[in-house]
């Protein structure tokens, strides 16, 4: 999974701590989300998208592991 | 705002519970250690003292970090940390079940425990150690 969180966070001049406070999670959760190492619940994905003024599908990019023939 | 206050309240209760349980474990470990030393059981006394010191270090770390996070407006737990704890707990539980069976089997012929309390103490210590290892693993791994 890839995310555009870092890019959007920079656009709105938010630190990881600011975003974590806005969403109500720990800073490590934002860090892991940005690295693509945590699959968030639908609610958290929604909250983060809302905080970054975007949509879930624009924020989180899921890559299909299976190669298309 | 109401939700934030609720979370803060729950976090304070959670922190108090962690401190109380840890102090109870420290007191029990210290008592066990003292009794063991008085009976001349040096290894038992050292194990008890080691557990007490480890838990004391853990509770100091958790207390300082938790208070700092609460002051900064972060929750003590969120969905990721809960997921990490759930995964670590379930793995530690499954492996402990097998390990307890192994201890039970081996205690008849190979390992000779002093008494039931020693075997129980080792089993509980092993469960705690397994949980700590799995927690550290899942806290870094992609979940």
């Amino acid at each position: 999974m890839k995310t555009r969180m870092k890019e959007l966070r920079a656009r709105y001049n938010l630190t990881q701590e600011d975003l974590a406070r806005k969403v109500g999670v720990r800073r490590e959760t934002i860090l892991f989300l940005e690295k693509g190492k945590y699959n968030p619940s639908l609610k958290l994905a929604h909250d983060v998208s809302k905080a970054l003024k975007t949509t879930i599908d624009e924020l989180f990019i899921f890559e299909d592991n299976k190669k298309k023939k | 705002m109401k939700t934030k206050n609720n979370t803060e309240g729950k976090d304070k209760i959670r922190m108090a519970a962690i401190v109380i349980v840890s102090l109870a474990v420290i007191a029990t470990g210290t008592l066990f250690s003292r009794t063991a030393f008085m009976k001349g059981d040096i290894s038992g006394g050292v194990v008890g003292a080691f557990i007490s010191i480890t838990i004391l270090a853990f509770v100091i770390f958790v207390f300082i970090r938790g208070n700092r996070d609460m002051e900064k407006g972060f929750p003590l737990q969120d969905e990721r940390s809960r997921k990490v704890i759930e995964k670590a707990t379930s793995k530690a539980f499954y492996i402990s079940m097998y390990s307890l069976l192994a201890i039970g089997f081996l205690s008849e012929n190979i390992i000779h425990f002093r008494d039931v309390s020693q075997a129980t103490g080792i089993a509980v210590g092993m469960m705690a150690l397994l949980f700590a290892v799995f927690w550290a693993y899942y806290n870094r791994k992609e979940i």
Side-chain angles (χ1 to χ4, degrees), chain B residues 62-135:
Chain B
V62 168
F63 187 75
I64 292 170
R65 205 178 88 144
N67 270 332
R68 190 192 60 200
D69 286 351
M70 280 195 287
E71 277 173 14
K72 283 184 177 177
F74 299 124
L76 270 187
Q77 274 193 341
D78 63 5
E79 65 168 57
R80 185 182 168 276
S81 65
R82 270 193 290 272
K83 215 169 175 179
V84 168
I85 289 174
E86 277 168 23
K87 277 183 171 273
T89 309
S90 67
K91 286 286 186 304
F93 175 72
Y94 288 135
I95 295 179
S96 298
M97 296 260 281
Y98 294 122
S99 310
L100 288 173
L101 274 176
I103 285 176
F105 175 72
L106 295 173
S107 66
E108 287 181 9
N109 304 309
I110 298 164
I111 307 169
H112 296 286
F113 294 109
R114 191 188 64 230
D115 51 26
V116 177
S117 70
Q118 190 187 33
T120 313
I122 289 171
V124 171
M126 198 173 61
M127 284 175 87
L129 187 68
L130 279 170
F131 173 77
V133 169
F134 279 117
W135 182 86

Side-chain angles (χ1 to χ4, degrees), chain A residues 2-47:
Chain A
K2 284 182 180 175
T3 73
R4 292 177 58 222
M5 277 175 68
K6 205 172 178 178
E7 173 198 332
L8 292 167
R9 196 165 52 73
R11 185 186 293 173
Y12 296 112
N13 208 19
L14 287 169
T15 63
Q16 286 183 338
E17 291 198 354
D18 294 333
L19 184 59
R21 254 185 236 108
K22 262 187 148 184
V23 178
V25 294
R26 298 180 62 79
R27 197 188 65 86
E28 300 92 71
T29 302
I30 300 296
L31 183 78
F32 277 84
L33 275 172
E34 282 190 3
K35 283 183 183 173
K37 287 176 86 176
Y38 176 57
N39 290 320
S41 67
L42 189 58
K43 189 188 176 298
L44 181 57
H46 170 264
D47 290 348

Side-chain angles (χ1 to χ4, degrees), chain A residues 35-65:
Chain A
K35 283 183 183 173
K37 287 176 86 176
Y38 176 57
N39 290 320
S41 67
L42 189 58
K43 189 188 176 298
L44 181 57
H46 170 264
D47 290 348
V48 175
S49 308
K50 202 175 167 186
L52 294 173
K53 295 166 192 161
T54 184
T55 56
I56 292 175
D57 59 335
E58 279 190 20
L59 188 61
F60 299 101
I61 302 140
F62 288 92
E63 291 168 327
D64 195 354
N65 287 335

